[in-house]
């Protein structure tokens, strides 16, 4: 089959504004959108720029806007999106070139929520024990691959780039609900901040966008509840 | 404009090995981690199955059995002292990760859970043992995240999306003096002076077409070292994992078989029972991959072209599939449209893991010759290194173990080394060689694109240097490589911009792949025996008398030069590898 692939392009060295370019790409229904982008890059225009590495939805490099929703290009097959495909960079982050955006604001928010285990007790000789139920409690949010699909689908984030965004809250959740962690109080104080969880309007865009199937909105709600009751 | 930076330690790569090293070295000296991918994009995140350590949490086990399995699995090409170090330190390495927050699956009494994995046995081969520690089927993801989190906590200095393209060695004595890196965002070169340089750049599976490896796995670290005079050890040993998704090569972890999955041919027969009666589907990977190809060749392959077999997990409890194999069953659904709970998943062997690479001591110091002469200040760890703990065939779960054990050792030793020496002098114009290489590559206004040359490399490597090899095929591949090199000399980089020029970098990466493929093929052609991942149909048996030794391939003026060094033996006598 032939796919009409429309790509929003921007070269910082020559363009003042972005533009849409259209390519006719030979494709198989089982091809990934990433395969189509590669086909263009390798056969038509080598300057088409995007990030990718693993090509199977694990590394989080290639989140982009595909037919209007945030997806990983390597995890969407042509048969799911049809023969008219529009690909654009993620919204809400500065575009550096074509589909490649500046991820630094995203990682800056991530770093702020203390995204690491806090436990100052001396470590035992073997493992810290954790029940299966306690381990299950935060299982969902350990799946995050930091692709930014959730955060850049959030209308609050588009309007206010100071907002932490869902991904940072997901990563706070991952530790707040880990029975081994002692940093919840500190993290909750950060998240209680004016740009913290309270800005969330529960639009569920983030949950729909997550390529890992994380229940993002639910995680945010759980963090809000923890804040209200200050216990986890 | 070339910028200059000075650090005590420079770590190249931020996968599991690089991040583990950084935690140690940044406590000991000013450390920079230079990485072409954002750390969390590294391919360690793709590892699924687990990490072995003889914790004996669920059944009797000890690290000596683990050592034995590692050596036997590696077909006796393993340096036995190194395997002992790895298997002994495995236990502490797992506990370290747990203390850092790693979310391992748990047993009912709250300990780290363990499961079976290929080639791991109790009592020296008596039966499969539950040794693999895991976090569902995203163990690598969790290790990568955990180590990254700890680096965030520690405030490690990262240079993200910087590509290291050259190693600087002191003009007088050849010790490490620093590296040259290309900044993706600006196209500028940076010279990093350092007392210790640690390479942790991962594998180079992208020289094959059907591979589980990421696009970024192009062997830059080994490539850079090779060009700067470091020999490459045991390059002929490349692991083909039995279960890659048909046509794509995306990996379905051995954990699927560890949990009870079975390989079946077109007749539905569980054929591994014929090849490895004791441990069947959990035999080492090289044996299973060959068994699959034998089934296909003898007409028992499935599908319209009879060119795949099935991985069948449909008899497992759906709850076990959801809890322990969620990601890999989703891969089958997403990419092949197959429902593993109901039907077999079409699979073929996929190029997976480089046993060979930059030769090191157990302290992660790089050695420069067959006498194991250490190159001061130069270190390597992880998949790009060859310690050698994997010998001719790596056991599943031993690489995640390798990267944390030897990553840590590399970080400690690089940090300590830096504390005892001064910076080496840089030669004149340290960035000159990279500048010229980039100008050469970008100097053609038309011609053939890197992608076309790379595809021909990959297809040919699959056919001629894959699971089955012969003198004729390898010789053909040498000729093919010569022509690929000629084409590469005229490669056309179409993107002429300075900023974010990934087109240029793809061409650079292809150069490393070509160099390493040549080292692989020449080493493989010379080795007239079959051992582990290297199988010669024209020399189908292992030949300890002549070949119980490591290969070292160096770049000479007239092609690849080979040398050999002995395998370190402690207490394990080579015996036949039967399962
Ligand atoms: C699909 C899959 C599943 C696996 N499952 C398992 C498993 O269950 N158990 C197990 O033990 N092993 C497994 N392995 C093997 C194991 O995951 C890898 O061998 C290991 O993670 C490699 O880690 P590393 O740190 O050496 O390299 P990587 O994680 O690949 O990291 C390489 C790093 O080097 C950087 N880099 C590369 N080139 C440059 C350059 N020129 N300049 C700067 N930086 C550079 C990259 O940015 C990256 O950060 C699996 C492998 C694959 C592919
Ligand atoms: S390329 Fe890794 S997630 Fe798509």
């Amino acid at each position: 089959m032939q796919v009409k692939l429309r790509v929003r392009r921007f070269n910082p060295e020559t363009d003042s504004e972005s533009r849409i370019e259209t390519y006719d790409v030979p494709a198989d229904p089982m091809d990934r959108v990433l395969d189509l982008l590669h086909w263009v890059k390798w056969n038509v225009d080598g300057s088409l720029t995007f990030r990718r590495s693993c090509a199977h939805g694990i590394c989080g490099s290639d989140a982009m806007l595909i037919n209007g929703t945030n997806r990983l290009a390597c995890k969407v097959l042509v048969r799911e999106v049809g023969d008219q495909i529009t690909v654009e960079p993620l919204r809400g982050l500065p575009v550096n070139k074509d589909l490649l955006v500046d991820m630094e604001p995203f990682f800056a928010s991530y770093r702020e929520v203390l995204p690491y285990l806090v436990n100052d007790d001396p470590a035992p000789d073997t493992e810290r024990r954790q029940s299966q139920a306690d381990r299950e409690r935060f299982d969902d949010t350990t799946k995050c691959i930091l692709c930014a699909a959730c955060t850049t689908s959030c209308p609050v984030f588009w309007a206010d780039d100071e907002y932490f965004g869902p991904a940072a809250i997901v990563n706070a959740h991952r530790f707040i609900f880990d029975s081994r962690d002692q940093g919840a109080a500190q993290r909750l104080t950060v998240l209680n901040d004016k740009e913290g969880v309270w800005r969330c309007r529960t639009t569920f865009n983030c949950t729909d966008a997550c390529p890992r199937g994380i229940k993002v909105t639910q995680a945010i709600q759980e963090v809000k509840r923890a804040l209200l009751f200050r216990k986890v | 404009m070339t910028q200059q930076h000075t650090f005590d330690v420079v770590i190249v790569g931020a996968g599991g090995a690089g991040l583990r090293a950084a935690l140690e070295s940044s406590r000991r000296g000013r450390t920079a981690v230079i990485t072409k991918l954002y750390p969390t994009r590294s391919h360690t995140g793709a590892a699924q199955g687990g990490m072995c350590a003889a914790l004996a949490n669920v059944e009797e086990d000890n690290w000596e059995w683990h050592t034995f399995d590692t050596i036997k699995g590696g077909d006796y090409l393993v340096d036995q002292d190194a395997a002992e170090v790895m298997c002994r330190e495995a236990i502490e390495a797992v506990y370290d990760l747990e203390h850092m927050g790693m979310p391992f699956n748990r047993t009912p009494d709250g300990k780290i859970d363990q499961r079976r994995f290929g080639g791991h046995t109790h009592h020296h081969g008596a039966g499969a043992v539950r040794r693999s520690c895991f976090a569902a089927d995203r163990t690598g993801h969790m290790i990568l995240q955990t180590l990254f989190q700890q680096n965030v906590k520690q405030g490690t200095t990262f240079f993200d999306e910087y590509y290291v393209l050259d190693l600087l060695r002191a003009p007088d004595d050849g010790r490490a003096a620093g590296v040259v890196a290309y900044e993706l965002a600006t196209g500028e070169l940076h010279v990093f002076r350092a007392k210790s340089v640690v390479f942790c750049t991962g594998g180079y599976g992208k020289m094959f077409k059907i591979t589980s490896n990421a696009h970024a796995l192009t062997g830059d670290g080994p490539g850079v070292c090779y060009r700067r005079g470091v020999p490459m050890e045991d390059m002929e040993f490349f692991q083909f994992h039995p279960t890659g998704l048909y046509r794509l090569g995306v990996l379905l972890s051995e954990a699927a078989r560890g949990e009870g999955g079975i390989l079946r041919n077109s007749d539905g027969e569980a054929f591994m029972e014929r090849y490895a009666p004791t441990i069947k589907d959990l035999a080492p990977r090289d044996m299973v991959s060959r068994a699959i190809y034998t089934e296909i060749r003898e007409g028992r392959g499935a599908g319209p072209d009879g060119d795949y077999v099935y991985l069948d997990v449909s008899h497992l409890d759906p709850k076990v599939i959801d809890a322990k194999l969620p990601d890999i069953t989703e891969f089958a659904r997403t990419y092949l449209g197959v429902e593993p709970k109901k039907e077999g998943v079409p699979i073929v062997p996929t190029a997976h893991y480089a046993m060979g690479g930059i030769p090191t001591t157990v302290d992660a110091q790089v050695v420069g010759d067959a006498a194991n002469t250490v190159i001061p200040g130069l270190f390597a760890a992880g998949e790009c290194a060859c310690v050698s703990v994997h010998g001719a065939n790596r056991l599943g779960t031993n690489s995640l173990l390798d990267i944390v054990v030897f990553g840590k050792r590399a970080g400690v030793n690089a940090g300590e080394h830096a504390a005892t020496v001064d910076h080496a002098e840089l030669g004149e114009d340290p960035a000159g060689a990279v500048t010229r290489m980039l100008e050469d590559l970008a100097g053609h206004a038309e011609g053939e694109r890197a992608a076309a040359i790379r595809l021909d490399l990959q297809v040919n490597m699959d056919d001629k240097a894959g699971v089955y090899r012969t003198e004729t095929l390898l010789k053909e591949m040498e000729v093919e490589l010569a022509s690929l090199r000629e084409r590469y000399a005229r490669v056309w980089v179409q993107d002429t911009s300075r900023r974010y020029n990934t087109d240029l970098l793809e061409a650079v990466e292809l150069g490393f792949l070509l160099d390493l493929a040549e080292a692989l093929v020449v080493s493989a052609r010379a080795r007239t025996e079959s051992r582990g991942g290297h199988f010669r149909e024209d020399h189908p048996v292992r030949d300890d008398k002549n070949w119980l030794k490591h290969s070292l391939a160096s770049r000479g003026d007239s092609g690849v030069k080979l040398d050999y060094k002995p395998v370190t033996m402690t207490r394990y006598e080579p015996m036949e590898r039967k399962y």
Side-chain angles (χ1 to χ4, degrees):
Chain A
M1 66 188 279
Q2 285 292 118
V3 167
K4 217 170 244 335
L5 183 69
R6 303 169 71 241
V7 184
R8 184 167 295 282
R9 310 257 344 234
F10 171 72
N11 180 344
E13 288 165 47
T14 53
D15 302 343
S16 51
E17 264 176 60
S18 70
R19 62 183 194 286
I20 292 274
E21 295 241 350
T22 306
Y23 307 92
D24 287 313
V25 185
D28 184 277
M30 295 303 280
D31 282 341
R32 299 163 270 206
V33 171
L34 179 63
D35 297 324
L36 309 190
L37 292 171
H38 271 146
W39 189 87
V40 174
K41 184 174 182 67
W42 295 340
N43 296 291
V44 183
D45 184 353
S47 73
L48 176 62
T49 303
F50 47 91
R51 291 192 181 93
R52 89 286 186 260
S53 188
C54 73
H56 65 284
I58 285 299
C59 75
S61 295
D62 59 346
M64 49 188 81
L65 202 57
I66 298 174
N67 284 354
T69 46
N70 281 359
R71 314 281 302 264
L72 296 174
C74 66
K75 234 185 150 177
V76 185
L77 303 195
V78 170
R79 65 171 184 172
E80 297 168 54
V81 282
D83 59 2
Q84 309 277 328
I85 304 176
T86 304
V87 183
E88 297 167 278
L90 294 174
R91 280 174 287 191
L93 291 170
V95 176
N96 285 331
K97 186 174 174 181
D98 295 338
L99 303 167
L100 190 148
V101 296
D102 179 5
M103 296 290 288
E104 184 43 33
F106 172 82
F107 280 110
S109 296
Y110 165 80
R111 285 192 297 265
E112 269 189 71
V113 301
L114 292 77
Y116 40 77
L117 189 83
V118 176
N119 185 327
D120 295 329
D121 296 343
D125 288 341
T126 63
E127 65 268 69
R128 292 192 171 100
R129 298 286 181 107
Q130 182 169 53
S131 73
Q132 290 179 337
D134 282 346
R135 165 65 179 78
E136 189 56 32
R137 183 68 190 84
F138 64 101
D139 187 66
D140 202 36
T141 44
T142 65
K143 294 176 185 158
C144 175
I145 55 174
L146 298 169
C147 68
C150 60
T151 294
T152 59
S153 72
C154 173
V156 181
F157 178 78
W158 300 333
D160 171 8
D161 60 11
E162 297 285 298
Y163 172 48
F164 283 123
I169 304 173
V170 160
N171 281 279
H173 178 283
R174 181 250 170 272
F175 289 101
I176 292 170
F177 293 93
D178 185 333
S179 58
R180 301 168 296 175
D181 183 82
Q182 304 169 340
Q186 231 178 318
R187 246 178 242 114
L188 288 170
T189 304
V190 176
L191 290 169
N192 198 25
D193 182 87
K194 64 178 180 14
E195 309 294 353
V197 288
W198 303 112
R199 315 265 349 234
C200 167
R201 297 271 177 279
T202 0
T203 52
F204 282 94
N205 285 22
C206 50
T207 303
D208 295 339
C210 179
R212 304 281 296 147
I214 300 172
K215 298 184 195 77
V216 182
T217 313
Q218 183 180 323
I220 297 174
Q221 292 302 100
E222 288 176 2
V223 170
K224 283 185 185 168
R225 223 173 298 136
L227 264 178
L228 283 176
F229 302 105
R230 281 284 168 165
K231 60 168 194 262
V232 292
Chain B
M1 261 297 293
T2 306
Q3 297 185 40
Q4 291 256 5
H5 311 260
T6 304
F7 286 90
D8 294 322
V9 180
V10 158
I11 295 172
V12 185
L19 291 174
R20 188 67 191 83
L23 289 177
E24 299 301 330
S25 84
S26 50
R27 289 192 194 117
R28 290 170 174 82
R30 277 196 70 221
T31 298
V33 180
I34 308 176
T35 173
K36 72 177 183 180
L37 304 173
Y38 278 108
T40 56
R41 314 292 183 226
S42 304
H43 211 50
T44 292
Q48 303 163 355
M51 162 176 175
C52 266
L55 305 183
N57 273 1
V58 287
E59 59 189 351
E60 188 190 356
D61 198 7
N62 68 61
W63 66 263
E64 192 274 322
W65 293 344
H66 187 184
T67 309
F68 169 81
D69 291 338
T70 300
I71 292 166
K72 180 180 171 192
D75 227 351
Y76 295 90
L77 199 68
V78 173
D79 285 324
Q80 301 188 356
D81 56 337
E84 283 176 22
V85 165
M86 182 176 78
C87 298
R88 192 176 59 228
E89 293 182 9
I91 297 167
E92 187 190 310
V94 167
Y95 292 142
D96 273 354
L97 282 172
E98 197 281 333
H99 297 157
M100 291 176 194
M102 170 87 187
F104 285 110
N105 279 38
R106 300 288 172 155
T107 63
D109 57 349
K111 294 190 194 168
I112 294 169
D113 199 4
Q114 300 189 272
R115 68 177 161 208
R116 298 197 174 108
F117 233 84
H120 290 277
T121 71
H122 59 85
H123 298 93
H124 307 111
V129 72
R130 289 174 63 181
R131 185 180 288 149
S132 168
C133 310
F134 62 99
D137 54 357
R138 51 176 188 283
T139 313
H141 165 75
M142 294 318 332
I143 290 179
L144 186 67
Q145 294 288 326
T146 302
L147 292 173
F148 181 62
Q149 291 155 2
Q150 291 297 308
N151 276 284
V152 169
K153 186 174 182 186
Q154 225 170 279
T156 302
T157 305
F158 285 102
F159 291 84
D160 294 332
E161 300 194 326
Y162 281 58
Y163 289 62
V164 168
L165 301 183
D166 202 2
L167 164 68
L168 302 173
R169 298 182 65 176
D172 49 350
D173 58 0
R175 68 192 159 116
V179 297
V180 182
Y182 175 97
E183 183 184 1
L184 180 67
T186 60
E188 279 174 13
L189 294 182
H190 296 248
V191 171
F192 290 82
R193 286 187 80 188
K195 300 174 187 174
S196 298
V197 172
V198 190
F199 278 95
C200 299
T201 58
Y204 38 87
K206 273 289 156 184
M207 65 172 69
F208 296 96
K209 180 150 194 304
I210 302 291
T211 176
S212 65
N213 281 201
H215 286 287
L217 290 177
T218 50
D220 308 5
V224 159
C225 290
Y226 188 49
R227 290 177 186 177
R228 287 294 170 194
V230 180
M232 292 293 117
E233 182 173 348
D234 290 344
M235 292 298 285
E236 62 271 43
F237 297 100
F238 204 95
Q239 178 168 82
F240 298 87
H241 191 294
T243 54
L245 281 187
Y246 180 54
R247 290 200 315 131
L248 294 173
V250 171
L251 194 79
L252 299 184
S253 168
E254 206 165 281
R257 282 170 288 138
E259 297 292 348
I262 294 172
L263 292 169
R264 297 187 189 281
N265 59 23
S266 58
D267 304 330
E269 183 204 7
F271 59 84
M272 279 312 297
E273 289 177 7
R274 273 188 279 120
Y275 296 86
T278 319
I279 57 176
K280 303 183 181 101
D281 292 275
L282 288 177
R285 293 173 177 175
D286 57 309
M287 297 173 85
V288 183
S289 288
R290 280 196 298 278
I292 292 172
Y293 273 129
T294 305
E295 292 299 299
I296 291 173
R297 281 179 168 195
E298 293 178 357
R300 293 184 294 277
D305 299 323
D307 58 351
Y308 57 80
V309 298
Y310 294 109
L311 173 63
D312 180 13
V313 294
S314 62
H315 54 288
L316 300 184
D317 181 348
K319 284 207 218 67
V320 170
I321 293 184
D322 290 339
K324 296 196 173 163
L325 308 169
D327 280 3
I328 61 176
T329 41
E330 187 184 308
F331 296 151
R333 279 178 213 118
T334 306
Y335 296 115
L336 295 185
V338 164
E339 176 47 65
K341 286 179 184 165
K342 297 209 185 91
E343 53 194 325
V345 182
I347 56 100
V348 285
T350 182
H352 184 56
Y353 183 84
M355 270 78 72
I358 307 167
T360 72
T361 66
V362 289
D363 291 319
Q365 299 156 297
V366 174
V367 296
D369 55 29
N372 286 326
T373 311
V374 166
I375 301 174
L378 189 58
F379 300 82
E383 188 169 338
C384 71
C386 180
V387 187
S388 149
V389 284
H390 309 303
N393 171 60
R394 171 174 74 81
L395 285 192
T397 74
N398 269 356
S399 174
L400 290 176
L401 178 57
D402 171 2
I403 64 179
V404 287
V405 167
F406 292 102
K408 177 175 176 182
R409 284 177 160 247
V412 170
N413 292 316
E416 286 178 357
H417 174 80
T420 62
V421 296
D422 292 327
H423 282 95
E425 286 305 314
L426 298 181
E428 222 162 281
D429 189 17
V434 176
T435 308
R436 282 188 296 279
M437 171 179 77
L438 297 178
E439 280 170 1
D440 278 354
L441 282 173
H444 312 273
E446 56 175 23
E448 207 179 5
R449 305 285 309 284
I453 303 171
R454 186 178 54 221
L455 182 63
D456 281 349
L457 168 70
Q458 294 170 333
V459 170
N460 278 288
M461 286 295 285
D462 277 7
D463 287 352
K464 303 187 171 81
V467 172
Y468 285 111
R469 298 166 174 175
T470 63
E471 163 70 17
T472 316
L473 288 173
L474 291 166
K475 200 168 157 195
E476 278 172 31
M477 191 64 217
E478 275 182 21
V479 175
E480 185 62 45
L481 275 166
S483 104
L484 289 165
R485 282 183 171 288
E486 273 174 32
R487 290 160 62 186
Y488 181 66
R490 299 187 302 269
V491 69
W492 175 34
V493 175
Q494 198 182 7
D495 190 352
T496 53
S497 52
R498 285 188 65 78
R499 306 193 52 199
Y500 298 99
N501 193 335
T502 52
D503 197 29
L504 174 63
L505 287 160
E506 280 192 38
V508 172
E509 291 170 328
L510 173 59
F512 293 129
L513 287 177
L514 286 168
D515 284 1
L516 297 178
E518 186 181 44
L520 186 155
V521 169
V522 171
S523 305
R525 197 178 152 203
R527 187 176 282 271
T528 49
E529 66 155 354
S530 290
R531 184 187 294 273
H534 172 68
F535 192 83
R536 289 281 301 256
E537 282 193 277
D538 45 354
H539 300 275
V541 283
R542 194 174 85 196
D543 173 4
D544 286 339
K545 196 159 141 274
N546 294 304
W547 288 106
L548 187 54
K549 57 188 181 186
H550 298 293
S551 321
L552 291 173
S554 321
R555 241 160 78 111
D557 293 333
S558 53
V560 181
K561 272 201 328 253
L562 290 177
D563 199 356
Y564 294 92
K565 67 177 186 182
V567 175
T568 309
M569 303 284 209
T570 56
R571 51 178 150 162
Y572 302 95
E573 280 300 312
M575 54 183 203
E576 200 196 338
R577 214 168 44 127
K578 271 215 250 155
Y579 287 92

